[in-house]
Amino acid sequence: MTISIGVQGASGGLGASSLVAALGLRAAQSGRSVVCVDHRSAGGGLDVVLGAEQVAGLRWPDLHRARGALDGTELLPALPVVRGVGVVACDRRQPHEVPPDAMEALRRGLDGCVDVVVHDLPPTVASGWPAAVLGHDLLAVVAGGAASQVAAAAAVSVLLRQVTAVGAGVVARTEGMDAAACIADLLHLPMLGVLRSDRGVQACLDRGVVPGSVRGPLRDLADEVLLAAVLEERAA
């Protein structure tokens, strides 16, 4: 059974992609097969966060015509891999929206072929998006503590309730548990964890190393979210 985790930054600059990378790394280090999927059509790219931008392999432009279900046994060896983490990323030379049919074909191909799939989701979702985006065992909404960031997260949480029945939880980008609890209460979402400032993350990114490679708040949070996802899948 494949465990699917969605991570959605309610606003930019909160470290959602770093959390996706750390989740992938910690899942791989626990002995699980894992693929991280980038659903953002423009931006730096999840492969850059993982330090895989120079690693050869298939990216979304190679898969965007896929329909039905991809063959997972053929797909997995063809993806860029770093430290046991496979990645499906955008291509900065060909930035365009990924068709929902291609997302769904990828989801079906990975389902049952890997232990964990972590999705780096865009800030907003729509009801027409497939289960590849809307259907997860656990969906983590990363919310900042500033007033505008909480407002953005509130809008995201309302939209999620309208388009999916998947249970969501909040990861609060703040320094203290009291502030994090307030954010969770305002959003009416359960608390998954706190994403505190972590100087080690920027050091990893500067060196092209996967975030979460060194001990710190990000790695601790990734372990907490992975445990929550495993428990959620077992309870399903």
Side-chain angles (χ1 to χ4, degrees):
M1 183 69 72
T2 297
I3 296 173
S4 177
I5 304 172
V7 178
Q8 185 172 30
S11 47
L14 296 177
S17 295
S18 292
L19 176 57
V20 169
L23 285 166
L25 177 65
R26 295 302 282 168
Q29 290 177 335
S30 71
R32 296 177 172 91
S33 56
V34 57
V35 172
C36 292
V37 181
D38 189 354
H39 290 277
R40 298 169 184 266
S41 58
L46 188 57
D47 56 344
V48 175
V49 178
L50 286 160
E53 66 269 28
Q54 301 300 325
V55 179
L58 297 179
R59 286 169 168 77
W60 272 122
D62 304 303
L63 304 172
H64 79 282
R65 296 185 185 276
R67 299 294 185 270
L70 291 166
D71 187 331
T73 59
E74 293 184 0
L75 173 66
L76 292 178
L79 295 177
V81 178
V82 174
R83 298 189 63 179
V85 181
V87 58
V88 179
C90 64
D91 189 330
R92 286 158 297 284
R93 298 167 299 179
Q94 304 178 59
H96 55 73
E97 295 291 337
V98 179
D101 286 346
M103 297 181 194
E104 186 63 12
L106 176 68
R107 183 193 69 81
R108 292 177 179 176
L110 295 177
D111 190 29
C113 286
V114 294
D115 299 318
V116 178
V117 181
V118 189
H119 298 265
D120 191 356
L121 301 175
T124 58
V125 296
S127 58
W129 286 31
V133 176
L134 299 178
H136 304 291
D137 296 300
L138 185 67
L139 177 57
V141 178
V142 184
S148 61
Q149 293 171 328
V150 174
V156 167
S157 63
V158 169
L159 181 59
L160 285 172
R161 291 186 182 97
Q162 293 174 348
V163 301
T164 179
V166 172
V170 64
V171 169
R173 184 70 167 86
T174 184
E175 295 303 315
M177 285 301 300
D178 289 344
C182 287
I183 294 172
D185 288 343
L186 287 169
L187 300 179
H188 305 292
L189 292 174
M191 174 64 65
L192 291 177
V194 180
L195 182 54
R196 296 181 173 87
S197 297
D198 189 340
R199 288 179 291 182
V201 174
Q202 189 58 51
C204 287
L205 293 173
D206 290 343
R207 303 197 313 270
V209 176
V210 183
S213 297
V214 297
R215 291 180 180 177
L218 178 63
R219 190 164 84 172
D220 293 342
L221 173 63
D223 289 343
E224 293 174 20
V225 174
L226 274 175
L227 177 59
V230 170
L231 294 176
E232 190 74 20
E233 189 274 335
R234 288 176 179 174

mmCIF file with all atom_site columns, all heavy atoms in Angstrom, residues 170-183:
data_model
loop_
_atom_site.group_PDB
_atom_site.id
_atom_site.type_symbol
_atom_site.label_atom_id
_atom_site.label_alt_id
_atom_site.label_comp_id
_atom_site.label_asym_id
_atom_site.label_entity_id
_atom_site.label_seq_id
_atom_site.pdbx_PDB_ins_code
_atom_site.Cartn_x
_atom_site.Cartn_y
_atom_site.Cartn_z
_atom_site.occupancy
_atom_site.B_iso_or_equiv
_atom_site.pdbx_formal_charge
_atom_site.auth_seq_id
_atom_site.auth_comp_id
_atom_site.auth_asym_id
_atom_site.auth_atom_id
_atom_site.pdbx_PDB_model_num
ATOM 1  N N   . VAL A 1 170 ? -2.423 21.234 10.018 1.00 0.00 ? 170 VAL A N   1
ATOM 2  C CA  . VAL A 1 170 ? -1.605 22.420 9.806  1.00 0.00 ? 170 VAL A CA  1
ATOM 3  C C   . VAL A 1 170 ? -0.189 22.212 10.342 1.00 0.00 ? 170 VAL A C   1
ATOM 4  O O   . VAL A 1 170 ? 0.016  21.608 11.399 1.00 0.00 ? 170 VAL A O   1
ATOM 5  C CB  . VAL A 1 170 ? -2.249 23.668 10.457 1.00 0.00 ? 170 VAL A CB  1
ATOM 6  C CG1 . VAL A 1 170 ? -2.319 23.530 11.976 1.00 0.00 ? 170 VAL A CG1 1
ATOM 7  C CG2 . VAL A 1 170 ? -1.500 24.926 10.078 1.00 0.00 ? 170 VAL A CG2 1
ATOM 8  N N   . VAL A 1 171 ? 0.770  22.677 9.562  1.00 0.00 ? 171 VAL A N   1
ATOM 9  C CA  . VAL A 1 171 ? 2.151  22.827 10.013 1.00 0.00 ? 171 VAL A CA  1
ATOM 10 C C   . VAL A 1 171 ? 2.377  24.324 10.170 1.00 0.00 ? 171 VAL A C   1
ATOM 11 O O   . VAL A 1 171 ? 2.301  25.069 9.181  1.00 0.00 ? 171 VAL A O   1
ATOM 12 C CB  . VAL A 1 171 ? 3.151  22.227 9.010  1.00 0.00 ? 171 VAL A CB  1
ATOM 13 C CG1 . VAL A 1 171 ? 4.580  22.631 9.375  1.00 0.00 ? 171 VAL A CG1 1
ATOM 14 C CG2 . VAL A 1 171 ? 3.029  20.714 8.972  1.00 0.00 ? 171 VAL A CG2 1
ATOM 15 N N   . ALA A 1 172 ? 2.613  24.768 11.380 1.00 0.00 ? 172 ALA A N   1
ATOM 16 C CA  . ALA A 1 172 ? 2.725  26.200 11.665 1.00 0.00 ? 172 ALA A CA  1
ATOM 17 C C   . ALA A 1 172 ? 4.172  26.649 11.530 1.00 0.00 ? 172 ALA A C   1
ATOM 18 O O   . ALA A 1 172 ? 5.062  26.091 12.179 1.00 0.00 ? 172 ALA A O   1
ATOM 19 C CB  . ALA A 1 172 ? 2.208  26.511 13.068 1.00 0.00 ? 172 ALA A CB  1
ATOM 20 N N   . ARG A 1 173 ? 4.380  27.643 10.680 1.00 0.00 ? 173 ARG A N   1
ATOM 21 C CA  . ARG A 1 173 ? 5.727  28.216 10.486 1.00 0.00 ? 173 ARG A CA  1
ATOM 22 C C   . ARG A 1 173 ? 5.914  29.328 11.517 1.00 0.00 ? 173 ARG A C   1
ATOM 23 O O   . ARG A 1 173 ? 5.679  30.506 11.255 1.00 0.00 ? 173 ARG A O   1
ATOM 24 C CB  . ARG A 1 173 ? 5.864  28.759 9.065  1.00 0.00 ? 173 ARG A CB  1
ATOM 25 C CG  . ARG A 1 173 ? 7.269  29.292 8.757  1.00 0.00 ? 173 ARG A CG  1
ATOM 26 C CD  . ARG A 1 173 ? 8.257  28.151 8.663  1.00 0.00 ? 173 ARG A CD  1
ATOM 27 N NE  . ARG A 1 173 ? 9.514  28.575 8.073  1.00 0.00 ? 173 ARG A NE  1
ATOM 28 C CZ  . ARG A 1 173 ? 10.526 29.114 8.771  1.00 0.00 ? 173 ARG A CZ  1
ATOM 29 N NH1 . ARG A 1 173 ? 10.416 29.295 10.066 1.00 0.00 ? 173 ARG A NH1 1
ATOM 30 N NH2 . ARG A 1 173 ? 11.628 29.475 8.150  1.00 0.00 ? 173 ARG A NH2 1
ATOM 31 N N   . THR A 1 174 ? 6.290  28.918 12.722 1.00 0.00 ? 174 THR A N   1
ATOM 32 C CA  . THR A 1 174 ? 6.431  29.855 13.827 1.00 0.00 ? 174 THR A CA  1
ATOM 33 C C   . THR A 1 174 ? 7.439  29.291 14.806 1.00 0.00 ? 174 THR A C   1
ATOM 34 O O   . THR A 1 174 ? 7.981  28.204 14.590 1.00 0.00 ? 174 THR A O   1
ATOM 35 C CB  . THR A 1 174 ? 5.068  30.083 14.513 1.00 0.00 ? 174 THR A CB  1
ATOM 36 O OG1 . THR A 1 174 ? 5.180  31.062 15.521 1.00 0.00 ? 174 THR A OG1 1
ATOM 37 C CG2 . THR A 1 174 ? 4.538  28.791 15.118 1.00 0.00 ? 174 THR A CG2 1
ATOM 38 N N   . GLU A 1 175 ? 7.701  30.012 15.880 1.00 0.00 ? 175 GLU A N   1
ATOM 39 C CA  . GLU A 1 175 ? 8.748  29.598 16.809 1.00 0.00 ? 175 GLU A CA  1
ATOM 40 C C   . GLU A 1 175 ? 8.228  28.935 18.077 1.00 0.00 ? 175 GLU A C   1
ATOM 41 O O   . GLU A 1 175 ? 8.948  28.218 18.736 1.00 0.00 ? 175 GLU A O   1
ATOM 42 C CB  . GLU A 1 175 ? 9.617  30.805 17.196 1.00 0.00 ? 175 GLU A CB  1
ATOM 43 C CG  . GLU A 1 175 ? 10.396 31.400 16.030 1.00 0.00 ? 175 GLU A CG  1
ATOM 44 C CD  . GLU A 1 175 ? 11.286 30.380 15.343 1.00 0.00 ? 175 GLU A CD  1
ATOM 45 O OE1 . GLU A 1 175 ? 11.974 29.609 16.032 1.00 0.00 ? 175 GLU A OE1 1
ATOM 46 O OE2 . GLU A 1 175 ? 11.264 30.327 14.092 1.00 0.00 ? 175 GLU A OE2 1
ATOM 47 N N   . GLY A 1 176 ? 6.988  29.203 18.446 1.00 0.00 ? 176 GLY A N   1
ATOM 48 C CA  . GLY A 1 176 ? 6.498  28.682 19.718 1.00 0.00 ? 176 GLY A CA  1
ATOM 49 C C   . GLY A 1 176 ? 5.239  27.865 19.578 1.00 0.00 ? 176 GLY A C   1
ATOM 50 O O   . GLY A 1 176 ? 4.437  28.053 18.656 1.00 0.00 ? 176 GLY A O   1
ATOM 51 N N   . MET A 1 177 ? 5.027  26.950 20.517 1.00 0.00 ? 177 MET A N   1
ATOM 52 C CA  . MET A 1 177 ? 3.861  26.094 20.483 1.00 0.00 ? 177 MET A CA  1
ATOM 53 C C   . MET A 1 177 ? 2.572  26.875 20.723 1.00 0.00 ? 177 MET A C   1
ATOM 54 O O   . MET A 1 177 ? 1.529  26.543 20.160 1.00 0.00 ? 177 MET A O   1
ATOM 55 C CB  . MET A 1 177 ? 4.000  24.986 21.525 1.00 0.00 ? 177 MET A CB  1
ATOM 56 C CG  . MET A 1 177 ? 4.985  23.888 21.138 1.00 0.00 ? 177 MET A CG  1
ATOM 57 S SD  . MET A 1 177 ? 4.551  23.056 19.582 1.00 0.00 ? 177 MET A SD  1
ATOM 58 C CE  . MET A 1 177 ? 2.923  22.398 19.992 1.00 0.00 ? 177 MET A CE  1
ATOM 59 N N   . ASP A 1 178 ? 2.637  27.895 21.567 1.00 0.00 ? 178 ASP A N   1
ATOM 60 C CA  . ASP A 1 178 ? 1.425  28.680 21.838 1.00 0.00 ? 178 ASP A CA  1
ATOM 61 C C   . ASP A 1 178 ? 0.933  29.364 20.568 1.00 0.00 ? 178 ASP A C   1
ATOM 62 O O   . ASP A 1 178 ? -0.258 29.336 20.247 1.00 0.00 ? 178 ASP A O   1
ATOM 63 C CB  . ASP A 1 178 ? 1.693  29.720 22.927 1.00 0.00 ? 178 ASP A CB  1
ATOM 64 C CG  . ASP A 1 178 ? 1.871  29.094 24.300 1.00 0.00 ? 178 ASP A CG  1
ATOM 65 O OD1 . ASP A 1 178 ? 1.488  27.908 24.464 1.00 0.00 ? 178 ASP A OD1 1
ATOM 66 O OD2 . ASP A 1 178 ? 2.396  29.768 25.197 1.00 0.00 ? 178 ASP A OD2 1
ATOM 67 N N   . ALA A 1 179 ? 1.863  29.984 19.832 1.00 0.00 ? 179 ALA A N   1
ATOM 68 C CA  . ALA A 1 179 ? 1.485  30.640 18.579 1.00 0.00 ? 179 ALA A CA  1
ATOM 69 C C   . ALA A 1 179 ? 0.986  29.621 17.573 1.00 0.00 ? 179 ALA A C   1
ATOM 70 O O   . ALA A 1 179 ? 0.025  29.871 16.830 1.00 0.00 ? 179 ALA A O   1
ATOM 71 C CB  . ALA A 1 179 ? 2.679  31.408 18.018 1.00 0.00 ? 179 ALA A CB  1
ATOM 72 N N   . ALA A 1 180 ? 1.630  28.454 17.526 1.00 0.00 ? 180 ALA A N   1
ATOM 73 C CA  . ALA A 1 180 ? 1.215  27.411 16.600 1.00 0.00 ? 180 ALA A CA  1
ATOM 74 C C   . ALA A 1 180 ? -0.199 26.931 16.928 1.00 0.00 ? 180 ALA A C   1
ATOM 75 O O   . ALA A 1 180 ? -1.017 26.710 16.028 1.00 0.00 ? 180 ALA A O   1
ATOM 76 C CB  . ALA A 1 180 ? 2.190  26.245 16.656 1.00 0.00 ? 180 ALA A CB  1
ATOM 77 N N   . ALA A 1 181 ? -0.495 26.771 18.207 1.00 0.00 ? 181 ALA A N   1
ATOM 78 C CA  . ALA A 1 181 ? -1.828 26.330 18.619 1.00 0.00 ? 181 ALA A CA  1
ATOM 79 C C   . ALA A 1 181 ? -2.884 27.358 18.229 1.00 0.00 ? 181 ALA A C   1
ATOM 80 O O   . ALA A 1 181 ? -4.000 26.998 17.822 1.00 0.00 ? 181 ALA A O   1
ATOM 81 C CB  . ALA A 1 181 ? -1.859 26.076 20.117 1.00 0.00 ? 181 ALA A CB  1
ATOM 82 N N   . CYS A 1 182 ? -2.544 28.640 18.336 1.00 0.00 ? 182 CYS A N   1
ATOM 83 C CA  . CYS A 1 182 ? -3.482 29.697 17.934 1.00 0.00 ? 182 CYS A CA  1
ATOM 84 C C   . CYS A 1 182 ? -3.781 29.618 16.442 1.00 0.00 ? 182 CYS A C   1
ATOM 85 O O   . CYS A 1 182 ? -4.934 29.784 16.016 1.00 0.00 ? 182 CYS A O   1
ATOM 86 C CB  . CYS A 1 182 ? -2.910 31.067 18.293 1.00 0.00 ? 182 CYS A CB  1
ATOM 87 S SG  . CYS A 1 182 ? -2.939 31.450 20.059 1.00 0.00 ? 182 CYS A SG  1
ATOM 88 N N   . ILE A 1 183 ? -2.741 29.384 15.635 1.00 0.00 ? 183 ILE A N   1
ATOM 89 C CA  . ILE A 1 183 ? -2.943 29.269 14.181 1.00 0.00 ? 183 ILE A CA  1
ATOM 90 C C   . ILE A 1 183 ? -3.856 28.088 13.874 1.00 0.00 ? 183 ILE A C   1
ATOM 91 O O   . ILE A 1 183 ? -4.790 28.201 13.069 1.00 0.00 ? 183 ILE A O   1
ATOM 92 C CB  . ILE A 1 183 ? -1.584 29.116 13.472 1.00 0.00 ? 183 ILE A CB  1
ATOM 93 C CG1 . ILE A 1 183 ? -0.760 30.395 13.616 1.00 0.00 ? 183 ILE A CG1 1
ATOM 94 C CG2 . ILE A 1 183 ? -1.789 28.772 11.998 1.00 0.00 ? 183 ILE A CG2 1
ATOM 95 C CD1 . ILE A 1 183 ? 0.666  30.259 13.122 1.00 0.00 ? 183 ILE A CD1 1
#
